[in-house]
């Protein structure tokens, strides 16, 4: 008897297979194996009940300008989360010292490219799935939840811009928003102008035509972040 997970997983996987070709298709057929499917079955599906925004064997450019594949990429509203399932076994023991160190260089490049990196040990997939369900729910809720009445007028992208502006030690500017959301100049300006109109950001400087810098409005409360 086919379960809800098996049906939805097969449907989701077939959709991604139909969009791939060449090496990306081969990698998805080979790479989406037992450990990755177990993570979905024991952690992701019980936590969320769907696979929206989740991409298996997602291709990124390696720091050596080659291609590598993330086990999963969760991409939503300009935010990118890399999820890797790591087994404790011969894979690590067979690595050279340089290959072992290069793993963390690759991870740092992802972080520098604005990825959030999540690594789940395979043993936890089997032995402590509930803990990881809760951890992922908390992370997704923190990033995309919108339950606070004070911030209910903000979109997910606007919330992320406000968060970024609070982390910076200088006024936020258009290029910061473009990098955060991977959007164009016009879209970045539109987001910032709406946050100014809503009173979350205030303009900085004396530009006579257009504002180019903003900072958080000190009269607002940001305890919902």
């Amino acid at each position: 008897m086919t379960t809800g997970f098996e049906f939805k997983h097969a449907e989701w996987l077939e959709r991604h297979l139909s969009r791939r070709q060449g090496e990306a298709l081969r990698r998805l057929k080979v790479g989406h194996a037992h450990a990755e499917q177990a993570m979905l079955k024991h952690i992701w599906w019980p936590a969320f009940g769907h696979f929206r925004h989740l991409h298996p064997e997602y291709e990124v450019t390696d720091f050596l300008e080659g291609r590598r594949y993330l086990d999963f990429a969760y991409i939503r509203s300009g935010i990118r989360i890399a999820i890797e399932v790591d087994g404790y076994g011969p894979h690590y023991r067979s690595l050279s010292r340089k290959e072992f160190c290069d793993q963390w260089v690759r991870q740092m490049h992802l972080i520098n490219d604005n990825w959030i990196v999540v690594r789940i040990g395979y043993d936890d997939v089997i032995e402590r799935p509930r803990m990881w369900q809760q951890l992922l729910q908390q992370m997704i809720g923190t990033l995309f939840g919108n339950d606070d009445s004070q911030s209910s007028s903000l979109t997910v992208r606007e919330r992320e811009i406000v968060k970024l502006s609070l982390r910076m030690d200088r006024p936020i500017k258009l290029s910061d928003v473009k990098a955060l959301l991977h959007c164009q100049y016009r879209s970045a300006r539109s987001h910032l102008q709406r946050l100014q109109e809503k009173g979350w950001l205030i303009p900085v400087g004396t530009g006579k035509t257009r504002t180019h810098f903003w900072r958080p409005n000190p009269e607002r409360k940001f305890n919902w972040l």
Side-chain angles (χ1 to χ4, degrees):
M1 180 178 178
T2 302
T3 66
F5 164 77
E6 291 169 340
F7 176 78
K8 287 296 184 180
H9 174 259
E11 183 181 63
W12 169 78
L13 185 59
E14 182 57 37
R15 185 166 63 252
H16 283 278
L17 286 168
S18 68
R19 298 172 181 172
R20 307 280 181 94
Q21 57 184 351
E23 176 59 18
L25 176 60
R26 187 198 71 80
R27 183 58 187 249
L28 179 53
K29 289 179 177 179
V30 174
H32 189 67
H34 172 75
E36 292 77 17
Q37 293 181 35
M39 193 285 286
L40 294 180
K41 182 176 182 179
H42 297 294
I43 296 176
W44 192 270
W45 179 259
F48 302 106
H50 63 77
F51 303 113
R52 292 192 297 274
H53 311 295
L54 194 65
H55 305 263
E57 292 299 315
Y58 187 83
E59 182 181 309
V60 295
T61 301
D62 188 85
F63 76 105
L64 295 174
E65 298 304 318
R67 290 181 298 181
R68 65 174 294 214
Y69 293 85
L70 306 173
D71 289 342
F72 301 98
Y74 184 87
I75 302 175
R76 178 179 173 188
S77 302
I79 298 173
R80 301 180 298 173
I81 304 171
I83 303 174
E84 299 274 56
V85 182
D86 296 316
Y88 181 76
H91 167 70
Y92 282 103
R93 292 195 293 271
S94 66
L95 294 178
S96 68
R97 289 178 177 271
K98 184 177 186 302
E99 289 171 332
F100 179 80
C101 292
D102 280 348
Q103 292 183 109
W104 316 128
V105 176
R106 291 187 178 96
Q107 177 169 306
M108 197 63 206
H109 275 274
L110 284 173
I111 293 170
N112 286 343
D113 285 338
N114 292 317
W115 284 86
I116 297 170
V117 180
V118 176
R119 306 192 76 99
I120 305 174
Y122 175 73
D123 287 356
D124 272 355
V125 172
I126 303 302
E127 298 173 7
R128 299 194 293 179
R130 182 57 186 153
M131 179 189 71
W132 275 100
Q133 292 166 24
Q134 294 171 340
L135 288 171
L136 290 174
Q137 286 171 337
Q138 290 170 2
M139 180 182 70
I140 297 300
T142 298
L143 290 171
F144 304 102
N146 198 15
D147 297 326
D148 190 278
S149 59
Q150 186 180 186
S151 63
S152 61
S153 65
L154 297 180
T155 67
V156 170
R157 292 188 176 190
E158 288 169 350
R159 287 169 65 91
E160 293 312 307
I161 293 170
V162 172
K163 289 179 183 179
L164 178 62
S165 73
L166 291 167
R167 294 196 299 266
M168 305 185 80
D169 59 0
R170 58 168 173 78
I172 192 169
K173 55 187 179 180
L174 289 165
S175 59
D176 299 321
V177 176
K178 287 173 62 180
L180 174 68
L181 302 182
H182 303 280
C183 65
Q184 299 300 312
Y185 175 91
R186 184 174 298 179
S187 179
R189 178 171 289 282
S190 177
H191 286 303
L192 287 165
Q193 286 178 332
R194 283 199 296 270
L195 284 168
Q196 179 180 330
E197 292 167 359
K198 293 178 179 181
W200 290 98
L201 299 179
I202 57 177
V204 175
T206 58
K208 295 183 179 180
T209 54
R210 286 190 170 188
T211 301
H212 295 281
F213 303 93
W214 292 259
R215 63 181 176 84
N217 185 347
E219 296 182 1
R220 286 283 194 174
K221 294 181 179 180
F222 297 95
N223 59 332
W224 49 269
L225 292 173

